């Protein structure tokens, strides 16, 4: 057998000139903008000097910045792109963190990025490119494919972090979608001088027999791009003859050469782990992001409804501006929590701008609908309209502030009594304002009118019974141990299953965390140095709607309060958490032990889910984690923990851990060590607030439908005080209904072309092929019917013209070549 010659001139080494630019990291965005401008100018200057030089650019947003701030340079770039010397890759708005954003955010990265390239350059990218992010979720191949890309370039995780089947391989998503993926060797950037050492290191870790390989070069991170010295050294090195043939190239050319290779191996699943601390660093930016994503999706749905039933103009430009602010701040060094402290002042303001735009759009939409509802005068009452942002029926607690009466009753639109109880108002001005809580039942993506009346609620007690340490309703019974400050029992009454072990162990565990901001070299956060100790457990609310137990505890200089809320008719326990945190180089892990053994651990990922080994590894997760296994005696059961803003989780055996807070130093990167006398600023100091749910279930997590329950937690119902007026809209209406099966509709929006069509996006949430029937009553009798594969995302264009057919599109809202969609009028 002939030994391959790694220096053979028959081999081609594609050299890709690029400049990885962090618009924010150890600097703020104005400096990043200037560096992008300078780098792009340098790239076009090199093209004048080196006729064979090709520059490769990702992150479409940089081009929009240049178009806005330096139109002459932008026109030069357009000319070079037409010549093929300025190559576009990536197709996404920015290189985001590839674990933390929602599935819909990844869709929007491609939607806005690729449509910009089509509009300004006449062609979309075919190669996905995320060089610097710290891991890549398993749904990315499907997201790329449905946005027009068939290949992918990445760097991390490195060979020491995950073994992959080759330098390049078919990367397969859970739905079966594949792209050709290539892991860059060594690095994506080089010094500004001779690149021989970079090529030597890269060749040393690549397979010696492959005839086509690819290496990136150019000064990066703070920009710069290929230098004269880089390009001169390539000429020199190629002329020496001791290396493979060096070709100034670009990723599309490389992938074109290897696409017909029949022996490419397959890797199915995610690409992890690099920097597990990024899943939880800077809880503030994680929370801002989660809220902005959900508020924008809620605003789009109701803006689409208002455009249809109230003839309100669809605010496409406002929504686009808001989404682009969110996408920019999903940049991997912002959302991952690894930038300097002052950069988060900018991120806070920009997320605030996005949320303000979303709030304006949503408020205008619901006000437009509400004022058209027919609400006849009922003396002595105050109408209260509850809006459901989800296209399935909602049964949920709703809270609303109102001008206080000493006592209050509640009815639905038919005058039927609805249990209500007074709860804590945000106002402390005695007698001025009140707050009520009640269990609302609202139709899919619809509204329902309730009526506040003076007088005492006839029911002083309800299905929830409570003591100073116990809560119980029709479905659940839980007990708190005052000594530990956490649950000692959680019983599912339907099956009689006790989910907790005899000795649950500590709940709020403080972990030693001497890792840097990224959490480099960390697999698990498990070095406990203490736990929060309970100081008080008390019943703070009890009535016909719900009961609330409050647990107060302390550790060091930190304080925590967790309120356990159990409502009538609820199969889940809500936990409202407030922490005043003042620990440094520590991590707070909330632990949820169970009595389950032989468990399967399932984690939500963007627009999907994955089973992972329950070995304590810190994992990136979206809004829910589940353990399902065997109880003592052999019965099968499970527990799902759902959250509104947390992403770092682990499962060890039958125990779920949720990383609530981390407190490393800002932008601290190993191997830098901290000076004992240094003055540093630490992450997550001060008040933190979040919510999570505990959801017991039977033998299969699917029966708990965690994707919908998580959506309800993250996009809660909205209540609006109204007045009396005539109108064409009924007091209880629905506008879209996905049927509540495994296919879940996440997006109802106006189209990007401004034609007035509706776009509907849905995904299969349980890993099983399914037929979906999506009704759109707001468009009369429109119905979409389609077959979804396991974990498949589909998008539909629904024309307002009832005679025009519904069309399945890709994620760019462009028609598929072979539509797989049946659309019809009527049932």
């Amino acid at each position: 057998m002939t030994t391959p010659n790694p220096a053979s001139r028959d081999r081609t080494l594609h050299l890709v000139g690029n400049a990885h630019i962090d618009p924010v990291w150890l600097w703020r965005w104005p400096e990043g903008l200037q560096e992008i401008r300078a780098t792009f100018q340098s790239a076009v200057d090199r093209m004048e000097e080196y006729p064979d030089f090709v520059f490769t650019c990702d992150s479409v947003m940089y081009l929009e910045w240049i178009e806005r701030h330096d139109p002459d340079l932008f026109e030069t770039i357009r000319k070079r792109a037409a010549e093929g010397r300025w190559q576009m890759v990536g197709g996404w708005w920015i290189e985001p963190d590839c674990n933390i954003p929602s599935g819909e955010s990844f869709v929007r990265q491609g939607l806005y990025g690729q449509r910009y390239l089509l509009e300004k350059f006449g062609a979309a990218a075919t190669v996905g490119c995320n060089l610097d992010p710290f891991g890549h979720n398993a749904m990315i191949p499907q997201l790329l494919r449905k946005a027009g890309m068939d290949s992918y370039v990445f760097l991390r995780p490195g060979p020491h972090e995950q073994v992959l089947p080759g330098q390049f391989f078919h990367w397969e998503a859970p739905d079966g979608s594949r792209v050709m993926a290539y892991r860059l060797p060594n690095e994506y950037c080089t010094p500004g001088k001779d690149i021989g050492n970079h090529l030597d290191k890269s060749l040393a870790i690549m397979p010696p027999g492959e005839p086509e390989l690819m290496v990136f070069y150019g000064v990066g991170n703070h920009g710069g791009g290929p230098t004269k010295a880089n390009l001169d050294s390539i000429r020199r090195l190629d002329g020496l003859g001791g290396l493979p043939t060096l070709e100034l190239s670009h990723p599309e050319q490389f992938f074109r050469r290897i696409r017909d290779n029949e022996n490419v191996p397959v890797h199915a699943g995610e690409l992890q782990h690099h920097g597990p601390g990024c899943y939880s660093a800077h809880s503030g930016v994680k929370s801002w992001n989660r809220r902005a994503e959900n508020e924008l999706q809620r605003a789009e749905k109701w803006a689409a409804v208002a455009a249809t039933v109230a003839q309100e103009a669809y605010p496409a430009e406002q929504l686009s501006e808001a989404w682009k602010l969110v996408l920019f701040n999903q940049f991997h060094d912002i959302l991952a929590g690894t930038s300097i402290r002052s950069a988060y002042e900018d991120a806070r303001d920009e997320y605030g701008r996005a949320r303000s735009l979303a709030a304006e759009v949503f408020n205008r939409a619901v006000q437009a609908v509400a004022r058209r509802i027919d609400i006849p005068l009922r003396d002595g009452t105050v109408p209260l309209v509850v809006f459901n942002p989800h296209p399935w029926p909602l049964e949920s607690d709703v809270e609303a502030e109102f001008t206080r009466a000493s006592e209050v009753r509640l009815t639905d639109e038919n005058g039927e009594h609805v249990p209500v109880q007074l709860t804590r108002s945000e106002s402390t001005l005695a007698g001025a304002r009140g707050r009520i809580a009640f269990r609302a039942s609202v139709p899919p993506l619809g509204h329902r009118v309730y009526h506040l009346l003076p007088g005492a609620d006839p029911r002083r007690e309800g299905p929830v019974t409570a003591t100073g340490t116990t809560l119980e309703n029709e479905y659940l019974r839980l007990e708190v141990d005052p000594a530990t400050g956490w649950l000692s029992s959680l019983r599912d009454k339907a099956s009689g299953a006790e989910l907790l072990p005899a000795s649950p162990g500590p709940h709020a565990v403080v972990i030693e965390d001497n890792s840097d901001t990224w959490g480099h070299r960390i697999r698990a956060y498990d070095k406990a140095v203490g736990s929060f100790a309970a100081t008080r457990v008390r019943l703070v609310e009890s009535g016909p709607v719900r009961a609330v137990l409050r647990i107060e505890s302390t550790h060091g200089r930190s304080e925590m309060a967790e309120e356990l809320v159990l409502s009538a008719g609820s199969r889940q326990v809500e936990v409202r958490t407030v922490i005043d945190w003042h620990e440094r180089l520590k991590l707070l892990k909330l632990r949820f032990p169970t009595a389950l053994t032989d468990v399967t651990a399932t984690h939500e990922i963007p627009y999907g889910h994955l089973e992972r080994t329950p070995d304590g590894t810190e994992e990136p997760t979206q809004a829910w984690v589940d353990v399902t296994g065997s109880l003592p005696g052999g019965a099968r059961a499970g527990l799902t923990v759902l959250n509104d803003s947390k992403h770092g989780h682990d499962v060890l055996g039958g125990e779920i851990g949720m990383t609530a807070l981390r407190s490393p130093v800002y932008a601290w990167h190993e191997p830098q060590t901290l000076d004992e006398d240094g003055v540093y600023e630490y992450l997550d100091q001060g008040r933190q607030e979040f919510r999570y749910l505990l959801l017991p279930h039977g033998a299969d997590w699917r029966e708990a439908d965690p994707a919908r329950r998580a959506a309800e937690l993250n996009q809660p119902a909205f209540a609006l005080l109204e007045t009396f007026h005539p109108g064409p809209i009924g007091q209880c209406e629905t506008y879209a209904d996905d049927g509540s099966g495994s296919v879940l509709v996440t997006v109802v929006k106006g189209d990007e072309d401004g034609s007035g069509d509706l776009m509907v996006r849905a995904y299969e949430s349980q890993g099983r092929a399914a037929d979906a029937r999506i009704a759109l009553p707001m468009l009369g009798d429109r119905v979409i019917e389609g077959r979804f594969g396991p974990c498949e995302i589909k998008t539909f264009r629904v024309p307002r013209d009832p005679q025009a057919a519904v069309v399945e599109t890709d994620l760019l809202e462009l028609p598929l070549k072979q539509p797989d969609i049946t659309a019809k009028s009527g049932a």
Side-chain angles (χ1 to χ4, degrees):
M1 185 175 185
T2 304
T3 301
N5 175 13
S8 169
R9 296 291 288 176
D10 293 334
R11 306 176 81 207
T12 299
L13 194 57
H14 295 256
L15 299 182
V16 177
N18 84 117
H20 177 74
I21 307 173
D22 293 326
V24 175
W25 179 29
L26 305 180
W27 45 86
R28 298 169 75 169
W29 70 262
E31 184 175 341
L33 168 57
Q34 187 280 327
E35 187 54 47
I36 291 166
R37 186 162 47 83
T39 297
F40 284 8
Q41 184 63 57
S42 174
V44 298
D45 289 345
R46 298 293 80 74
M47 291 176 189
E48 295 289 340
E49 301 157 349
Y50 297 84
D52 54 349
F53 170 59
V54 180
F55 184 73
T56 294
C57 170
D58 75 350
S59 297
V60 175
M61 189 206 72
Y62 299 167
L63 295 168
E64 188 190 60
W65 271 7
I66 295 301
E67 181 185 20
R68 190 186 315 159
H69 293 281
D70 195 339
D72 291 341
L73 176 57
F74 183 74
E75 286 306 314
T76 302
I77 291 170
R78 280 163 52 97
K79 291 176 184 176
R80 291 303 191 182
E83 298 168 358
R85 297 185 63 196
W86 186 289
Q87 290 288 323
M88 309 296 186
V89 296
W92 284 5
W93 200 242
I94 201 82
E95 282 194 22
D97 182 280
C98 289
N99 285 310
I100 296 168
S102 68
E104 187 55 28
S105 286
F106 286 105
V107 171
R108 301 306 171 100
Q109 289 283 352
L111 176 69
Y112 294 119
Q114 291 281 62
R115 288 180 72 96
Y116 181 90
L117 293 178
L118 286 167
E119 177 187 353
K120 303 295 182 178
F121 294 87
T126 63
V127 178
C129 185
N130 283 301
L131 303 181
D132 202 21
F134 314 128
H136 308 258
N137 77 79
M139 295 297 287
I140 286 177
Q142 182 180 179
L143 293 160
L144 292 171
R145 273 288 182 181
K146 293 196 171 187
M149 290 173 273
D150 60 12
S151 44
Y152 192 60
V153 185
F154 70 100
L155 176 68
R156 302 186 179 92
H160 61 295
E161 293 164 327
Q162 184 176 16
V163 175
L164 293 170
Q167 197 72 41
F168 55 90
F169 51 90
H170 291 299
W171 184 20
E172 184 174 284
D175 75 311
S177 299
R178 288 182 178 180
V179 294
M180 184 80 81
Y182 184 86
R183 176 159 63 185
L184 280 180
N186 190 34
E187 259 295 352
Y188 52 72
C189 60
T190 59
K193 300 180 181 179
D194 188 288
I195 68 167
N197 187 50
H198 173 64
L199 298 185
D200 290 344
K201 288 182 177 180
S202 299
L203 287 166
I205 60 177
M206 289 194 290
E210 291 291 347
E212 306 280 343
L213 292 168
M214 180 168 62
V215 172
F216 277 40
Y217 73 97
V219 179
N221 288 333
H222 197 263
T227 65
K228 293 180 181 181
N230 288 162
L231 291 160
D232 290 342
S233 71
I234 291 170
R235 287 179 177 174
R236 181 185 69 82
L237 293 165
D238 193 46
L240 294 174
L243 291 172
T245 299
L246 305 183
E247 181 177 331
L248 297 182
S249 185
H250 55 87
E252 168 57 33
Q253 184 162 305
F254 167 73
F255 283 112
R256 194 183 304 135
R257 300 263 186 94
I258 67 170
R259 277 194 185 106
D260 295 333
N261 189 326
E262 297 179 355
N263 300 313
V264 178
V266 176
H267 171 76
E270 58 191 337
L271 303 175
Q272 309 291 5
H273 301 80
H274 180 91
C278 294
Y279 316 149
S280 48
H282 204 297
S283 62
V285 76
K286 309 293 196 284
S287 178
W288 305 333
N289 179 73
R290 181 80 69 87
R291 281 158 175 73
E293 291 174 327
N294 281 280
E295 288 164 9
L296 277 167
Q297 287 177 252
R298 181 185 70 166
E300 286 177 334
K301 283 179 275 192
W302 278 101
V305 171
T308 303
V309 305
Q311 293 73 56
E312 288 285 314
Y314 187 80
E317 290 187 8
Q318 279 181 284
L319 290 165
S320 176
E321 178 188 351
W323 268 112
K324 288 175 180 178
L325 286 167
V326 170
L327 299 182
F328 170 65
N329 284 285
Q330 290 175 344
F331 179 70
H332 52 269
D333 277 317
I334 301 175
L335 189 53
T338 55
S339 291
I340 57 174
R341 183 201 56 77
S342 57
Y344 290 100
E345 296 176 10
D346 299 329
R348 176 201 62 206
D349 294 346
E350 289 171 339
Y351 274 118
R353 169 69 173 158
R355 293 181 64 189
S356 179
L357 288 167
E360 181 181 333
V361 168
F362 175 71
N363 184 63
R364 187 163 65 243
V366 296
Q367 296 275 359
V369 173
R371 71 173 179 265
R372 289 171 171 82
I373 300 174
D374 186 24
I375 310 178
L377 176 65
R378 292 172 61 183
D379 286 337
T381 72
V382 177
L384 181 68
V385 188
V386 178
F387 294 88
N388 172 12
H390 304 290
W392 59 84
L394 182 67
E395 299 280 340
S396 176
D397 282 8
V398 171
E399 296 185 17
E401 296 270 337
F402 68 108
T403 301
R404 177 167 182 125
S406 57
E407 294 182 302
V408 66
R409 294 185 293 127
L410 191 70
T411 71
D412 64 15
E413 77 281 10
N414 298 315
E416 295 294 323
H417 169 75
V418 176
V420 63
Q421 72 187 57
L422 293 171
T423 186
R424 291 192 303 268
S425 171
E426 290 192 68
S427 171
T428 57
L429 185 60
R433 294 281 285 177
R435 189 177 186 88
I436 57 168
F438 64 99
R439 192 79 173 171
S441 179
V442 192
L445 191 59
H447 66 258
R448 190 172 193 181
V449 179
Y450 291 86
H451 297 267
L452 288 163
L453 298 83
D457 190 303
R459 294 183 60 179
R460 297 292 185 178
E461 297 180 355
V464 182
T465 59
T467 70
T469 57
T470 64
L471 299 174
E472 183 174 358
N473 71 0
E474 309 95 310
Y475 304 109
L476 301 174
R477 185 184 187 281
L478 61 91
E479 183 170 357
V480 172
D481 181 352
T484 65
W486 190 240
L487 297 179
S488 58
S489 175
L490 178 59
R491 187 172 295 275
D492 184 338
K493 292 171 66 175
S495 64
E498 171 58 65
L499 286 171
L500 300 192
S503 301
H507 164 60
V509 180
V510 179
I511 307 290
E512 180 182 79
D513 178 17
N514 291 316
S515 64
D516 66 10
T517 316
W518 285 255
H520 286 123
R521 321 297 175 189
I522 290 292
R523 184 191 69 84
Y525 290 107
D526 53 7
K527 298 178 181 178
V529 293
S531 61
F532 275 72
T535 57
R536 191 181 187 189
V537 178
R538 58 191 171 115
L539 183 67
V540 295
E541 189 175 331
S542 184
V545 177
R546 68 190 188 190
V548 181
L549 278 174
R550 180 178 175 88
I551 304 166
E552 298 171 356
S553 57
T554 63
H555 174 84
R557 298 186 299 133
S558 302
E559 298 178 347
M560 179 170 69
E562 291 192 290
E563 293 190 344
L564 279 59
V565 183
L566 185 63
S567 300
S570 178
R571 297 179 181 273
Q572 62 201 25
V573 182
E574 179 183 357
V575 185
R576 302 177 176 183
T577 306
V578 177
I579 304 173
D580 188 14
W581 176 255
H582 296 282
E583 312 309 312
R584 297 176 174 182
L585 302 184
K586 301 289 191 299
L587 175 149
L588 177 62
K589 178 80 75 169
L590 300 184
R591 306 221 65 92
F592 307 99
T594 71
L596 299 166
T597 57
D598 187 27
V599 303
T600 298
T602 307
H603 299 241
E604 187 186 34
I605 63 173
Y607 272 156
H609 62 272
L610 277 184
E611 291 183 5
R612 290 170 170 149
T613 304
D615 61 0
T617 298
E618 188 80 356
E619 301 283 7
T621 304
Q622 293 283 298
W624 60 268
V625 181
D626 179 82
V627 289
T628 298
S630 299
L631 291 166
R636 298 285 291 177
L639 176 69
T640 308
V641 177
L642 308 94
N643 73 83
D644 73 352
S645 58
K646 302 302 174 185
H647 291 272
H649 291 77
D650 72 89
V651 177
L652 182 60
E655 181 171 280
I656 295 172
M658 178 171 70
T659 302
L661 303 169
R662 278 190 73 221
S663 55
V665 168
Y666 276 92
W668 167 35
H669 196 301
E670 66 158 19
Q672 178 70 37
T673 58
L674 300 180
D675 188 336
E676 290 184 3
D677 294 326
V679 177
Y680 301 107
E681 295 188 77
Y682 296 81
L683 276 70
D684 284 355
Q685 300 297 292
R687 181 184 171 88
Q688 316 284 331
E689 187 172 352
F690 56 93
R691 298 186 181 196
Y692 62 90
L693 305 178
L694 305 177
L695 178 57
H697 59 79
D700 190 336
W701 60 264
R702 294 168 180 84
E703 68 186 50
D705 208 351
R708 292 182 193 273
R709 302 296 82 79
E712 292 166 4
L713 175 65
N714 283 274
Q715 287 184 50
F718 176 79
L720 178 68
L721 290 170
E722 251 302 324
T723 53
F724 305 105
H725 39 65
I729 299 175
Q731 293 190 38
C732 187
E733 296 286 353
T734 185
Y735 301 107
D737 186 347
D738 68 9
S740 300
S742 70
V743 173
L744 188 154
V745 169
T746 57
V747 171
V748 179
K749 63 182 283 288
D751 72 295
E752 295 295 319
D753 300 323
S755 66
D757 294 345
L758 281 186
M759 304 303 303
V760 177
R761 185 153 30 256
Y763 78 104
E764 198 290 311
S765 64
Q766 298 183 4
R768 298 170 175 173
D771 293 313
R773 184 180 188 277
I774 302 165
L776 297 169
M778 64 177 165
L779 292 179
D781 53 4
R782 279 283 201 176
V783 174
I784 302 169
E785 293 182 347
R787 178 73 173 172
F788 283 68
C791 305
E792 186 176 12
I793 308 163
K794 283 181 179 283
T795 305
F796 309 104
R797 178 183 291 271
V798 186
R800 292 189 184 276
D801 178 358
Q803 302 305 313
V806 174
V807 177
E808 184 178 348
T809 75
D810 60 18
L811 295 180
L812 308 184
E813 302 184 5
L814 303 175
L816 298 179
K817 293 181 180 178
Q818 294 181 329
D820 179 21
I821 168 64
T822 301
K824 59 185 180 181
S825 295

